[in-house]
Amino acid sequence: MNYLFYISSIVAIAATVMVITRHQPVHALLYLVVSFLGVAMIFLSLGAPFVATLEIILYAGAIIVLFIFVVMMLNLGRESAIQEKQWMQPKTWIGPSILTAILLGELLVLLTMGGSVPMPQQTVDLKKIPLSLYGEYVIAVELTGFLLMAGIVGAAHIGRHKKKYLHRFLKQEEEAV
Amino acid sequence: MQSYSVLVVAAILFVLGLLGVLTRRNIIFILISIEIMLNAAGVAFVAAGARWGQPDGQVMFLFILAMAASEVSVGLALVMQVYHQHKTLDVSKLNNLKDDIDV
Amino acid sequence: MQEILFLIPALPLMGFLILSLAGRHLSKQVIAVVGAGVVCIAAITTIWLGINFLQTPQENGAYTVTLWRWMNVANFSCSFSLRVDALSLVFLFVITFVGALIHIYSAGFMKQDRDYARFFASMNLFVCAMLILVMADNLVLLYLGWEGVGLCSYLLIGFWYETTANVQAANKAFYITRIGDTAMAIGLFLLFRELGTLDIPAIQNAAPEHFTKSSPLITSIALLLLAGGMGKSAQVPLQTWLPDAMAGPSPVSALIHAATMVTAGVYLVARMHAVFQLSPLAMNITATVGAVTLLIAGCSAMVQTDIKRILAYSTISQVGYMFLALGVGAWSAGVFHFFTHAFFKALLFLAAGAVIESLHHEHGIFKMGGLKNKLPIVFYTFLAGAAALAALPLVTAGFFSKDQILWYAWSANGGSPMLWFVALAGAFITAFYTTRLMLVVFWGDVKTHIGEPPGRLMTWPLIILAVLSIVAGFIEWPHNMLHVTLFSDVVQKVLPAVTEKEGVPSESIFQLIAVVVTLLGIYTGYLLYKKNASIVAKWKLVSALVGLRNFFFSGWRFDQFYHTLFVRPFVFVTSLNKQDVIDKIYAGIVSMFQWLNGIFSVSQNGSMRTYVISVLIGIIFILALQFFL
């Protein structure tokens, strides 16, 4: 199982690096799928097959599909790839890279500082998840319901095609001009 | 397998996502990077749950999943609107909230 | 019977509400009917109440009715309760009856004015506040009425607010009475601290037991209350507002600044007689203030040229007589003078208003003249009022009330020959300036074109008041002439009877002297302004006399004195601080925040990346802290 974990970790990290460096959005999305699959494998190795399944179904399935739809609808083809290439100048990524490297260094130091214990190699009982979900976390479940509801309504409202929208104050200003 | 090794993987994934948010100018890439960051947080949760043999980590991952789903739907709807109104996906051009006060 | 008590103040209040809320949409007839009608109904109610009161005496000598609990805080409780005893009844009668006549007169007097509704609304509110003042069962409610009449006085003095001078006069009246009101409020606080109650009957009962006679505490309470009364009643040194208050319409001067409000101080002192009696010093000061006031104001009245200012100074002087009477312990004499004075002074103001109106708003008496035949009704009524003011013996009300005061100024326990002499001098002066006023205004040649004579709405109140100015005195005769003491019989149920000194010469001698002095004053006026006018012309050449005349004319230079004493130093201090040092601090704070805003608004550049980077730096910083903690 250890090998499974290390291999899938390397795959996930490598795929993620590819995601954030691609010019073509579609390529990036394909690498993102690989990254999600890698993470799903990590879950499996941690003894969480249920989440691994959800990772594949929802992340690699539903969310990626949403992205692909949008990329398709906006018709982002070669032009956008060229544009991305122009935007990816060293001067834009060197500064942030250094900062994030510092953050990563800090995180690694902190994580290794506290000593370590071997991970237990057993699967968490699947039944316990829904029991605690609808037991102690029931309010969080309901709040998540609200959140999803708000997400749906918000998306439907924002995504509506309409004329160029102006706030009424701006509209008055424009009319005055 | 040591417990920190999983967390290190999660940290690396998170930092990569953050780097993506910082370096990319295309909104779609920024959204993708945010997904990566959320996913990394989920990894950390699941690892912590597995360390103690408790289901709570996985429950938290479910909540993160739900949140990521709604976030991505609203975010992508916003992307569509932005593209319609400004004909660009470049976040550095979307700076209408700049404070123009003259002092 | 006492259930209808609340109607008396409620009716004018209702009139005020109707006129102030809907007055804009009502025709002038309706406004006049509402405005004057409510006061007339209140007057009829009062008369009915008074007849009942006199016929069936109450056990405790008063009608009381508690309308509602007003406030209740810890050990202080105060109810909205009305109480009418003999003293309140006298005031009630004057306020509603004279008030009703003045309202009827105003309906004619103000008919050209476009703010008809505002005028009647303010007048009604004034009547309501004044009624609350005299009907109050506790001093807090009395204070409500006290401030209410101050407010209405302010509103009505400044009624023609387009003219700056009128507004300034209104402000002046408001400020100066405020000085007295503040003193009175402090007096009330002291009373409450000592007695734990502000109910008037409770104070009457508790005060003699609680306070030792002429202790500094009771003296200071009495003096603070007196200061309140002096402010409202325009007594020296707070008298300067009243002559300027003549800026208001004539009915206002008649109602507020002659008949009712300026006598609120008299009411307060009479009401609090239990407190004042405990402090002989305060009583002496009251008498002295009255005496000084009547002399100072009388001298000023002699040389004024504005008809209303003459009457205003005369009012101050007559109220001074009332304070003198109260101060020497002749309580009922003071209230009796209030009673008769209300009739003849209201009459004089109303008649003066009619004269002014007929002469196209001419105020100067030397531009009037020869009105005797042109305005006969005004002339005869004015003559009746003037005779009462001059205290023409035996035929006028003013004689009966003033004669009592003169007599008691010597013979009462608190009296002294000095006070008597000042009062006598005042009687001479009063007779003199009244004669001067009559002769200059009504005799001689016509100097200004005479417009329309006053209508019936204006003349009938004049006639009724003129009759009352003559006959109102007959209810109380001097003791040595006829034993008719209707007035003091009623009032002395509430107010203590006067105690006389031993070994005073006979009353008849004093009456004789007073009569002679009054007639002498009238003759002097006749001599100087009718028979031999050249004397005055000769006097005008003597610079000392002209200086004296100017001194009197300016009201003994009190205004200039106050200007130098208070206004100039204040203006000096404010001009020193013209740049407003304190404000600099706040201006500095404001500019500092504007500067900071300029700096921080750089950070709000609309670029998402900068925001994320700042968040990142924050995270790095916080995590770095973990290494050191």
Side-chain angles (χ1 to χ4, degrees):
Chain A
M1 289 298 264
N2 273 351
Y3 297 111
L4 176 61
F5 169 74
Y6 288 120
I7 293 168
S8 50
S9 297
I10 291 166
V11 169
I13 292 168
T16 309
V17 172
M18 294 304 275
V19 170
I20 61 170
T21 49
R22 287 312 87 192
H23 301 314
Q24 287 268 18
V26 177
H27 295 175
L29 286 172
L30 283 176
Y31 279 111
L32 188 60
V33 173
V34 176
S35 163
F36 285 157
L37 290 177
V39 172
M41 290 307 285
I42 294 175
F43 289 158
L44 258 186
S45 72
L46 286 174
F50 173 59
V51 224
T53 325
L54 280 183
E55 173 88 13
I56 292 171
I57 296 174
L58 281 176
Y59 267 116
I63 291 176
I64 294 294
V65 168
L66 271 180
F67 273 105
I68 288 176
F69 267 133
V70 170
V71 170
M72 224 167 66
M73 284 172 75
L74 298 185
N75 201 12
L76 301 175
R78 183 155 293 142
E79 289 170 44
S80 73
I82 296 163
Q83 210 172 30
E84 288 291 325
K85 200 177 245 167
Q86 288 170 348
W87 289 346
M88 288 287 277
Q89 298 293 329
K91 65 173 183 187
T92 59
W93 57 259
I94 281 179
S97 305
I98 293 169
L99 277 176
T100 47
I102 293 170
L103 179 64
L104 182 62
E106 276 185 347
L107 282 173
L108 292 179
V109 170
L110 281 172
L111 288 175
T112 49
M113 220 165 51
S116 181
V117 283
M119 291 293 281
Q121 297 289 327
Q122 94 246 14
T123 313
V124 176
D125 186 11
L126 201 59
K127 278 185 185 165
K128 281 163 102 181
I129 299 172
L131 280 178
S132 78
L133 198 60
Y134 290 100
E136 50 195 317
Y137 290 105
V138 68
I139 292 186
V141 171
E142 294 188 5
L143 288 177
T144 314
F146 288 150
L147 182 68
L148 287 170
M149 175 80 163
I152 290 168
V153 173
H157 177 73
I158 296 170
R160 222 165 28 162
H161 272 266
K162 51 199 162 186
K163 281 197 289 186
K164 193 178 176 186
Y165 177 75
L166 276 178
H167 193 271
R168 61 181 189 283
F169 294 156
L170 294 174
K171 202 177 277 174
Q172 280 168 1
E173 250 171 49
E174 202 155 86
E175 278 163 11
V177 171
Chain B
M1 183 166 74
Q2 296 293 306
S3 62
Y4 72 82
S5 55
V6 192
L7 293 177
V8 167
V9 172
I12 293 172
L13 284 178
F14 180 85
V15 166
L16 283 174
L18 187 60
L19 187 64
V21 170
L22 287 176
T23 50
R24 305 306 294 246
R25 288 166 71 178
N26 191 323
I27 310 180
I28 290 181
F29 279 94
I30 289 174
L31 276 179
I32 290 171
S33 304
I34 289 174
E35 289 306 310
I36 294 170
M37 286 162 76
L38 284 172
N39 202 29
V43 171
F45 266 118
V46 172
R51 160 72 181 77
W52 301 103
Q54 294 295 322
D56 305 63
Q58 302 192 24
V59 170
M60 284 300 157
F61 181 80
L62 286 180
F63 293 145
I64 289 177
L65 203 60
M67 200 200 78
S70 45
E71 177 257 331
V72 106
S73 58
V74 174
L76 286 175
L78 278 171
V79 169
M80 304 279 288
Q81 278 302 323
V82 164
Y83 192 74
H84 265 282
Q85 295 204 358
H86 299 273
K87 301 291 169 218
T88 178
L89 291 175
D90 186 359
V91 281
S92 56
K93 286 191 182 143
L94 303 174
N95 58 358
N96 283 348
L97 283 177
K98 186 175 156 75
D99 185 10
D100 284 328
I101 204 162
D102 301 311
V103 178
Chain C
M1 192 64 223
Q2 45 195 26
E3 285 71 36
I4 65 155
L5 220 55
F6 80 96
L7 268 182
I8 298 174
L11 280 165
L13 184 66
M14 198 178 73
F16 161 71
L17 291 175
I18 293 172
L19 292 178
S20 57
L21 296 177
R24 202 179 286 260
H25 311 289
L26 300 176
S27 70
K28 285 198 171 179
Q29 280 90 344
V30 178
I31 292 169
V33 167
V34 171
V38 288
V39 184
C40 290
I41 299 172
I44 292 164
T45 317
T46 309
I47 291 169
W48 188 43
L49 187 87
I51 291 169
N52 270 288
F53 183 85
L54 295 177
Q55 276 173 351
T56 53
Q58 299 288 302
E59 277 172 37
N60 53 355
Y63 286 130
T64 47
V65 58
T66 302
L67 296 179
W68 64 82
R69 171 67 57 83
W70 191 12
M71 47 182 113
N72 192 5
V73 183
N75 61 347
F76 172 71
S77 107
C78 166
S79 53
F80 207 98
S81 43
L82 306 174
R83 184 170 188 276
V84 173
D85 59 8
L87 177 63
S88 315
L89 196 63
V90 174
F91 276 82
L92 267 188
F93 173 70
V94 168
I95 295 161
T96 54
F97 187 71
V98 177
L101 290 176
I102 292 172
H103 273 76
I104 294 168
Y105 174 93
S106 312
F109 186 83
M110 301 294 289
K111 66 175 182 287
Q112 305 296 340
D113 206 283
R114 62 195 159 86
D115 283 327
Y116 207 58
R118 181 161 64 88
F119 179 79
F120 275 104
S122 314
M123 290 286 270
N124 280 348
L125 184 64
F126 168 78
V127 172
C128 170
M130 192 71 204
L131 289 171
I132 288 176
L133 197 166
V134 297
M135 292 172 86
D137 187 34
N138 55 59
L139 288 173
V140 184
L141 193 56
L142 186 146
Y143 199 74
L144 175 75
W146 189 272
E147 293 300 324
V149 294
L151 168 72
C152 297
S153 162
Y154 169 78
L155 291 176
L156 286 165
I157 294 170
F159 182 74
W160 289 314
Y161 56 85
E162 281 101 343
T163 314
T164 320
N166 295 352
V167 178
Q168 281 169 347
N171 284 343
K172 186 176 177 186
F174 201 71
Y175 297 149
I176 292 180
T177 50
R178 197 69 39 235
I179 298 170
D181 294 354
T182 312
M184 179 180 161
I186 297 169
L188 296 189
F189 298 153
L190 276 178
L191 259 182
F192 178 71
R193 196 190 68 177
E194 291 301 316
L195 298 176
T197 178
L198 285 174
D199 285 352
I200 291 166
I203 291 173
Q204 311 278 41
N205 294 330
E209 292 156 25
H210 187 274
F211 297 104
T212 49
K213 192 160 177 159
S214 64
S215 64
L217 185 65
I218 189 71
T219 304
S220 49
I221 290 175
L223 287 180
L224 285 166
L225 293 180
L226 176 67
M230 280 156 61
K232 212 46 130 197
S233 294
Q235 298 295 294
V236 172
L238 299 178
Q239 88 285 25
T240 55
W241 63 271
L242 190 59
D244 289 350
M246 295 302 127
S250 293
V252 172
S253 310
L255 179 63
I256 301 184
H257 306 119
T260 56
M261 189 192 83
V262 287
T263 53
V266 178
Y267 177 79
L268 180 71
V269 175
R271 193 33 96 203
M272 288 288 105
H273 63 86
V275 171
F276 278 85
Q277 274 182 320
L278 290 171
S279 169
L281 178 63
M283 294 281 280
N284 282 338
I285 291 175
T286 311
T288 313
V289 164
V292 170
T293 306
L294 77 89
L295 204 59
I296 285 181
C299 289
S300 295
M302 285 197 297
V303 294
Q304 297 300 316
T305 54
D306 179 328
I307 184 167
K308 285 183 74 181
R309 284 181 87 89
I310 295 176
L311 293 174
Y313 277 113
S314 156
T315 303
I316 300 176
S317 150
Q318 298 303 311
V319 178
Y321 271 109
M322 299 174 206
F323 270 80
L324 172 63
L326 297 175
V328 299
W331 304 97
S332 72
V335 177
F336 187 47
H337 193 54
F338 150 77
F339 184 67
T340 56
H341 173 256
F343 296 128
F344 64 71
K345 192 50 66 67
L347 165 64
L348 285 173
F349 268 115
L350 294 185
V355 168
I356 291 167
E357 195 71 3
S358 303
L359 295 182
H360 315 287
H361 301 283
E362 179 54 60
H363 279 240
I365 55 169
F366 289 105
K367 298 206 176 130
M368 299 171 179
L371 299 177
K372 192 171 57 151
N373 302 320
K374 307 285 180 189
L375 301 169
I377 296 174
V378 176
F379 167 65
Y380 285 113
T381 53
F382 201 101
L383 185 65
L389 176 60
L392 206 65
L394 293 179
V395 293
T396 60
F399 168 73
F400 292 100
S401 56
K402 202 185 276 182
D403 177 62
Q404 265 194 15
I405 295 177
L406 284 175
W407 158 241
Y408 286 131
W410 183 311
S411 72
N413 232 348
S416 69
M418 190 63 208
L419 291 175
W420 172 78
F421 183 74
V422 172
L424 195 67
F428 175 81
I429 293 169
T430 310
F432 169 72
Y433 69 67
T434 314
T435 315
R436 167 176 177 265
L437 177 62
M438 275 311 286
L439 290 173
V440 173
V441 172
F442 289 98
W443 271 271
D445 307 324
V446 177
K447 290 166 195 140
T448 309
H449 172 255
I450 298 165
E452 217 179 317
R456 265 188 306 181
L457 272 178
M458 288 162 74
T459 50
W460 273 109
L462 291 179
I463 293 166
I464 296 171
L465 284 172
V467 172
L468 280 170
S469 303
I470 303 295
V471 303
F474 295 145
I475 58 171
E476 177 92 6
W477 281 69
H479 306 287
N480 57 345
M481 293 189 189
L482 258 180
H483 196 72
V484 178
T485 52
L486 293 174
F487 189 84
S488 54
D489 286 349
V490 171
V491 174
Q492 274 171 9
K493 285 176 192 155
V494 182
L495 296 172
V498 59
T499 49
E500 295 181 21
K501 275 194 264 195
E502 298 293 320
V504 182
S506 160
E507 190 177 347
S508 313
I509 298 172
F510 287 95
Q511 280 165 348
L512 207 59
I513 295 172
V515 167
V516 168
V517 165
T518 305
L519 293 176
L520 204 63
I522 294 173
Y523 178 71
T524 315
Y526 173 71
L527 189 72
L528 293 183
Y529 285 94
K530 178 80 179 153
K531 194 166 171 231
N532 204 346
S534 58
I535 298 176
V536 180
K538 252 183 240 162
W539 283 356
K540 279 185 183 159
L541 301 175
V542 184
S543 62
L545 286 173
V546 171
L548 190 67
R549 183 252 172 213
N550 288 340
F551 181 64
F552 285 161
F553 184 78
S554 63
W556 294 52
R557 301 224 186 280
F558 265 95
D559 277 333
Q560 287 88 338
F561 176 64
Y562 289 153
H563 189 77
T564 327
L565 194 63
F566 298 116
V567 180
R568 289 257 293 276
F570 186 74
V571 170
F572 176 69
V573 169
T574 49
S575 70
L576 281 184
N577 193 18
K578 203 171 182 180
Q579 302 300 320
D580 202 348
V581 180
I582 306 291
D583 198 45
K584 285 274 187 296
I585 298 169
Y586 299 105
I589 290 174
V590 169
S591 54
M592 187 185 82
F593 277 106
Q594 279 174 343
W595 178 70
L596 285 177
N597 173 39
I599 290 174
F600 284 123
S601 71
V602 173
S603 70
Q604 192 186 343
N605 58 359
S607 152
M608 196 198 72
R609 181 178 290 120
T610 336
Y611 301 159
V612 181
I613 285 177
S614 14
V615 172
L616 176 58
I617 291 170
I619 296 171
I620 290 172
F621 177 72
I622 289 171
L623 283 180
L625 283 181
Q626 301 289 316
F627 297 113
F628 305 106
L629 294 178

